[in-house]
Amino acid sequence: MNIPGPASVPIFKPDEEWKKQLNPEQYRILRKKGTERAFTGAYWDHHEAGVYRCAGCNSPLFSSETKFDSGTGWPSFHAPVAKAQVGEHDDTSFFMRRTEVVCSRCEGHLGHVFPDGPAPTGLRYCINSAALTFEKKG
């Protein structure tokens, strides 16, 4: 899949700039590693064809072609548009061991990835809707 997007030049901004650019919920999730409540985000039950982009920097992250209903209440994907588009970090917060998923370009917190997804990857990228924008296909 060829998905045009911004150049992969990393973005570094002071916190005050992020606060001006993002709405309070986006800032809480993308910059402070927050989580939206299940079944409340704009994209958990979204079924249009297109590309999900980072709400912080507009980088293409996930395609509707890899989205699936995980029953968790968050948008779930079995793969990013390209592995280089997302980064992963160990997350040991809340007395759990998880793998955090971030945007490779702006380091915005997206959600977590779990090894319980469908074929072909077996992965479930569980992503906060507020960390995403959607670009409809066509």
Side-chain angles (χ1 to χ4, degrees):
M1 171 181 293
N2 184 14
I3 298 175
S8 59
V9 176
I11 293 177
F12 301 102
K13 293 182 184 183
D15 221 31
E16 287 307 312
E17 282 189 45
W18 286 117
K19 284 181 182 177
K20 288 177 187 173
Q21 176 186 331
L22 303 169
N23 70 41
E25 180 75 345
Q26 289 171 324
Y27 176 79
R28 184 181 70 79
I29 290 169
L30 283 165
R31 306 316 310 168
K32 297 300 178 184
K33 301 183 182 208
T35 301
E36 63 199 8
R37 287 185 12 243
F39 303 101
T40 63
Y43 301 124
W44 76 270
D45 194 28
H46 185 252
H47 303 287
E48 288 184 274
V51 176
Y52 295 86
R53 294 179 173 273
C54 177
C57 69
N58 203 38
S59 287
L61 299 173
F62 299 96
S63 167
S64 60
E65 294 174 13
T66 65
K67 190 172 188 290
F68 68 98
D69 182 3
S70 65
T72 63
W74 287 280
S76 297
F77 306 87
H78 65 75
V81 295
K83 186 68 175 154
Q85 294 299 102
V86 298
E88 296 180 3
H89 304 294
D90 287 336
D91 178 359
T92 57
S93 61
F94 303 108
F95 307 104
M96 293 184 275
R97 184 167 185 81
R98 303 179 290 178
T99 302
E100 176 191 18
V101 179
V102 298
C103 172
S104 291
R105 187 167 185 228
C106 71
E107 282 291 311
H109 172 78
L110 303 172
H112 293 85
V113 61
F114 302 95
D116 60 2
T121 65
L123 298 174
R124 173 174 54 97
Y125 287 83
C126 189
I127 307 299
N128 290 287
S129 288
L132 303 171
T133 60
F134 182 73
E135 182 181 313
K136 191 174 181 174
K137 186 176 184 178

